[in-house]
Amino acid sequence: MELAYIPSPSRGVLYLGPIPLRGYAFCIIIGVFIAVWLGNRRWVARGGQSGTVADIAVWAVPFGLVGGRLYHVITDYELYFSPGRDWVDAFKVWQGGLGIWGAIALGALGAWIGARRRGIPMPAYADAVAPGIALAQAMGRWGNWFNQELYGRETHVPWALRITSSEGGRVPGYYHPTFLYESLWCIGVAFLVIWADRRFKLGHGRAFALYVAAYCVGRGWIEYMRVDDAHHILGLRLNDWTALIVFLLAVTYMIVSAKRRPGREEVVEPLAVTASADGRETDGETDAASGKSAPEKAVTEKAVPGKSAEPADEPGTAAGAPESATKQS
């Protein structure tokens, strides 16, 4: 008797006239907006300028999409280049297939280019956007739900995912919703990074490294549950090995970075500091209420109560003071 299960959508695309609206694409787009919004808030809190995160994302997002697709096509090349397959399908991103490993790697390259153009330290930017990237992944995983893909082993738990499609070798039935497991895990990773960053003042890329390490832990056990075709090395899926290697690299970076560069960056965006300093200097040139310059206002404030702040009898000499004491170089 079927008591409860997670239904799959009857289709993953809606048509607005001739224009297809694909659920997978919507999830990716919403995830990008979440990442930019949260990243901008964290960047401004660190002393950066509002809008900088979005400007750099213009570089990072396209690079990330290309990297994610390349990783998927390279690691699952037989889906596109084996006999009977159409290689043109390798460009159909809307059908699913974005490898997070490639997306992060090439997306980081794009972010580095954007950050370098603005004179911003890449580790500080990575720390700011790390929780947002985790939330973007959480949202993006629902695209797999729309496509009825990347589910786990067969199960009859109350939260089982019901697969109804038989296309592409699918067998209708009830399976572990690994897309949901990873989505919830990514949300937990985002909150972990936010908490740790506030508690320990992480800097120099360590918040981003924590995100990477925490994600890899979850990806390891979730990947082990999946039943879709994948390359295996020594009995483990390729993505399990990737998660293990990346986890070790992230932890190593956190340890070495903490020893070599403790604390966090004091300045994350030099342009923001310059703009702030220029604003203070401009405000100090003339007092809006009195019309006096800052030095004139200071002299007036220091005048003896009840006496006027008139100039001395002799130009350049204060009353009662030696002439040499009043000259400025």
Side-chain angles (χ1 to χ4, degrees):
M1 181 179 180
E2 298 178 356
L3 296 178
Y5 60 86
I6 300 174
S8 289
S10 57
R11 54 181 178 173
V13 57
L14 298 175
Y15 286 90
L16 185 62
I19 302 175
L21 305 177
R22 303 182 184 278
Y24 187 89
F26 266 119
C27 291
I28 298 297
I29 293 172
I30 294 173
V32 170
F33 275 106
I34 292 174
V36 172
W37 170 78
L38 181 58
N40 183 71
R41 287 176 60 91
R42 287 171 52 81
W43 184 251
V44 172
R46 288 286 305 275
Q49 290 182 313
S50 179
T52 296
V53 169
D55 291 342
I56 296 178
V58 171
W59 289 88
V61 172
F63 273 72
L65 291 175
V66 172
R69 190 59 177 178
L70 281 175
Y71 180 89
H72 169 73
V73 172
I74 291 173
T75 56
D76 290 305
Y77 62 89
E78 67 278 357
L79 298 177
Y80 308 101
F81 303 106
S82 59
R85 299 283 186 170
D86 187 358
W87 63 271
V88 177
D89 291 341
F91 298 94
K92 298 179 179 179
V93 180
W94 57 87
Q95 293 182 353
L98 290 175
I100 186 61
W101 315 112
I104 294 297
L106 216 55
L109 175 60
W112 177 80
I113 295 174
R116 184 176 178 83
R117 289 167 60 89
R118 296 180 68 98
I120 291 172
M122 181 61 188
Y125 179 83
D127 286 342
V129 300
I133 294 177
L135 292 180
Q137 288 179 248
M139 188 66 229
R141 274 308 178 195
W142 285 87
N144 302 133
W145 175 69
F146 278 103
N147 286 354
Q148 296 196 39
E149 61 183 359
L150 305 187
Y151 44 85
R153 295 188 294 268
E154 189 173 6
T155 184
H156 295 286
V157 296
W159 57 87
L161 173 67
R162 183 180 182 183
I163 296 298
T164 57
S165 174
S166 57
E167 297 181 0
R170 299 184 184 90
V171 177
Y174 299 89
Y175 300 89
H176 276 288
T178 50
F179 82 92
L180 178 61
Y181 298 161
E182 187 166 338
S183 180
L184 294 175
W185 184 269
C186 286
I187 293 174
V189 170
F191 282 105
L192 171 65
V193 174
I194 293 174
W195 170 82
D197 195 23
R198 290 177 178 176
R199 175 67 176 81
F200 302 105
K201 303 297 182 183
L202 301 177
H204 301 286
R206 289 188 289 277
F208 185 82
L210 176 61
Y211 144 70
V212 172
Y215 171 74
C216 288
V217 172
R219 182 61 185 266
W221 66 266
I222 294 171
E223 185 75 20
Y224 186 75
M225 297 180 65
R226 283 169 46 172
V227 294
D228 53 299
D229 292 334
H231 295 286
H232 287 72
I233 301 175
L234 300 178
L236 285 179
R237 293 166 65 96
L238 175 61
N239 282 329
D240 275 321
W241 284 106
T242 304
L244 176 60
I245 294 172
V246 174
F247 169 80
L248 294 175
L249 291 175
V251 171
T252 301
Y253 176 86
M254 292 178 66
I255 296 173
V256 174
S257 175
K259 291 182 178 179
R260 297 184 61 180
R261 308 186 71 181
R264 60 165 45 168
E265 301 90 341
E266 295 183 0
V267 177
V268 297
E269 189 166 2
L271 290 178
V273 175
T274 303
S276 178
D278 291 343
R280 288 194 300 270
E281 183 178 346
T282 302
D283 292 342
E285 289 177 354
T286 303
D287 182 77
S290 63
K292 298 179 180 179
S293 65
E296 292 173 346
K297 184 179 178 184
V299 171
T300 303
E301 291 175 349
K302 293 180 180 180
V304 178
K307 294 184 179 180
S308 62
E310 296 179 355
D313 294 335
E314 297 182 13
T317 305
E323 181 180 356
S324 60
T326 60
K327 292 183 178 180
Q328 302 295 328
S329 60

